[in-house]
Amino acid sequence: MISRHACRFILLMFMVGLNLRPAMSSVAPLLSRLQENAGLSASAAGLLTTLPVLFLGLTAPLAPMIGNRIGSERALSAALLLLASGLLLRVLPFPGLLYLGTAMAGSAIGLAGTLLPALVKRELPQNADLLTGLYTMALCLGGALGAGLSVPLMQWLGNWQASLVSWSLLALATLIVWISYAPSPAPKPTLNLPTGIPLVSLLRQPLTWQVMLFMGIQSSMAYIVFGWLPTLLIERGYSEATAGWTMAVSIMCQLVSALSAPWIARLHHDQRPALLLVLVCTALGLVMLLAAPLAWRWPGAVLLGLGQGGSFSLALSLLVLRTANERLAGQLSGLVQGGGYTLAALGPFGVGLMLQAGATTQHIAWLLIGLIGVCCGFAFFAGRKRQLDDQSGQLQVYHR
């Protein structure tokens, strides 16, 4: 029987997760219109899609320190307020505010996305991996709503600025609910490593790098899709609305694998089969959407969604499965998401540079397939059944 406290926390987690993707996915269907109205070049548009991911990566390592100082619950409130402010700021008609607001939104997502896995580990430790799947499902749903509703909202509200700013209302509503019903603070800070175990100890562990690089490469794929998939589909002959809905269908399919991937991973001794399966689905989906005939777009959208939803869900699950306690989960989350998302930021910007240099969608598709091949190598090592523990007074890796 699930307690009232657990149900309330799960609902809060879902609401917060719902806010952490529309800031990025809502821009992609409108990117061509932004380029026309704001005079953005392909590289400038690439910078716009890169900024939230870059600042997400730069801010994520700060989350454990901020949570330690003011409490994870207050830190999450501050992140939601920063998110709402950034979404409002980026549509104001002043030079540079589009980029500043986008960077603020990315920073807020980095803080909230790093704090939540540690809170899940603290509040419901026995089912942390399965709840991470539910949290990922909320992320996917938010991303799908951002992609699918951007163009209809623009048509209904009259301009792209009103469409983009409408997502700040969701952030403000979630902030009010979070402040009202957030879990009680922990009796003492638990997100910092204990004395004698410096942060560099985590960086000396190959397991940290394996999880980080898997997170970074699969996230790069996701943010390339968030930032550029509609534009690439429009170049292939799709209408603006059809491209947005194709992306929305793909993201909606992520809901299925985001929730089911952690369950499937439990069927095996370790997570390697599940990790490799979702990466193969991602690769097939990209080929069908970007290189195969247009008739393959719906199977491609489904496979891409299943692959990316499962990849991200399992990547977040690794943060709790590879650590023995909340403290280490918070530290590993900060390092992995910080380094991983900073690496992932290169993806959208790189695609912008490639398009400006004259690359075709097929060129981009095969480059992404190569990156997925590299990601499979890191998945093979990160998926082994091991765990970081510090109970001995030193940070060590144990085979569970």
Side-chain angles (χ1 to χ4, degrees):
M1 189 73 177
I2 301 178
S3 67
R4 179 180 295 183
H5 168 78
C7 290
R8 187 170 61 189
F9 178 76
I10 291 170
L11 179 60
L12 287 171
M13 178 192 70
F14 194 88
M15 289 187 67
V16 173
L18 205 61
N19 282 270
L20 302 187
R21 288 299 176 267
M24 293 174 281
S25 66
S26 61
V27 173
L30 304 175
L31 194 57
S32 298
R33 192 172 296 269
L34 263 70
Q35 287 182 263
E36 294 173 6
N37 295 348
L40 301 179
S41 66
S43 58
L47 179 61
L48 184 64
T49 60
T50 295
L51 272 178
V53 190
L54 176 62
F55 276 82
L56 193 160
L58 294 175
T59 310
L62 303 177
M65 179 181 66
I66 296 172
N68 182 44
R69 183 173 294 272
I70 66 174
S72 298
E73 297 76 17
R74 290 183 179 178
L76 201 49
S77 298
L80 289 169
L81 180 59
L82 182 63
L83 176 61
S85 302
L87 294 175
L88 287 168
L89 195 63
R90 70 178 180 176
V91 301
L92 296 180
F94 297 101
L97 290 188
L98 176 62
Y99 292 96
L100 178 59
T102 299
M104 288 171 60
S107 298
I109 294 168
L111 289 173
T114 304
L115 291 165
L116 267 179
L119 281 171
V120 169
K121 186 79 172 181
R122 187 188 82 190
E123 296 293 319
L124 300 165
Q126 299 303 317
N127 295 297
D129 56 335
L130 301 182
L131 287 177
T132 299
L134 182 63
Y135 162 60
T136 309
M137 189 178 76
L139 294 178
C140 298
L141 179 58
L145 292 174
L149 295 179
S150 283
V151 174
L153 281 172
M154 178 190 67
Q155 295 168 345
W156 181 46
L157 298 174
N159 55 64
W160 63 266
Q161 291 93 336
S163 175
L164 291 182
V165 80
S166 62
W167 298 104
S168 64
L169 300 178
L170 179 62
L172 288 172
T174 303
L175 173 61
I176 293 170
V177 175
W178 177 264
I179 291 175
S180 302
Y181 298 104
S184 301
K188 59 181 180 180
T190 57
L191 283 179
N192 60 307
L193 284 170
T195 304
I197 303 180
L199 195 62
V200 72
S201 296
L202 270 175
L203 292 172
R204 288 174 179 165
Q205 293 291 341
L207 178 59
T208 300
W209 290 95
Q210 291 156 9
V211 176
M212 182 189 300
L213 291 169
F214 172 76
M215 170 69 83
I217 297 175
Q218 69 84 27
S219 294
S220 185
M221 300 296 109
Y223 291 117
I224 288 170
V225 168
F226 277 136
W228 286 108
L229 182 61
T231 300
L232 295 173
L233 294 179
I234 288 169
E235 287 194 2
R236 299 203 73 200
Y238 291 64
S239 69
E240 193 176 52
T242 302
W245 278 112
T246 301
M247 177 176 166
V249 167
S250 178
I251 300 175
M252 284 297 291
C253 290
Q254 293 182 18
L255 300 176
V256 177
S257 56
L259 192 59
S260 61
W263 289 90
I264 295 172
R266 283 190 169 192
L267 299 176
H268 301 277
H269 176 70
D270 57 34
Q271 288 74 48
R272 284 178 291 183
L275 289 169
L276 295 175
L277 174 63
V278 295
L279 288 174
V280 169
C281 287
T282 301
L284 290 173
L286 286 171
V287 169
M288 290 181 183
L289 285 173
L290 300 181
L294 298 185
W296 288 94
R297 69 178 180 272
W298 295 121
V302 171
L303 281 173
L304 179 63
L306 292 176
Q308 291 198 309
S311 296
F312 187 61
S313 180
L314 290 172
L316 290 181
S317 295
L318 291 177
L319 299 179
V320 294
L321 290 173
R322 296 295 171 263
T323 51
N325 52 59
E326 177 206 351
R327 178 183 57 251
L328 285 174
Q331 288 289 338
L332 185 65
S333 178
L335 279 178
V336 166
Q337 296 197 61
Y341 287 133
T342 302
L343 173 64
L346 298 175
F349 186 61
V351 170
L353 291 179
M354 289 178 67
L355 289 173
Q356 187 159 312
T360 65
T361 54
Q362 287 82 2
H363 293 146
I364 293 170
W366 294 116
L367 174 65
L368 298 182
I369 298 306
L371 287 175
I372 291 174
V374 175
C375 193
C376 286
F378 293 116
F380 181 82
F381 291 105
R384 291 181 294 177
K385 199 169 185 179
R386 297 171 299 162
Q387 192 174 70
L388 291 163
D389 200 348
D390 61 353
Q391 290 183 1
S392 64
Q394 294 183 347
L395 188 63
Q396 297 182 14
V397 179
Y398 294 95
H399 294 271
R400 295 188 300 159

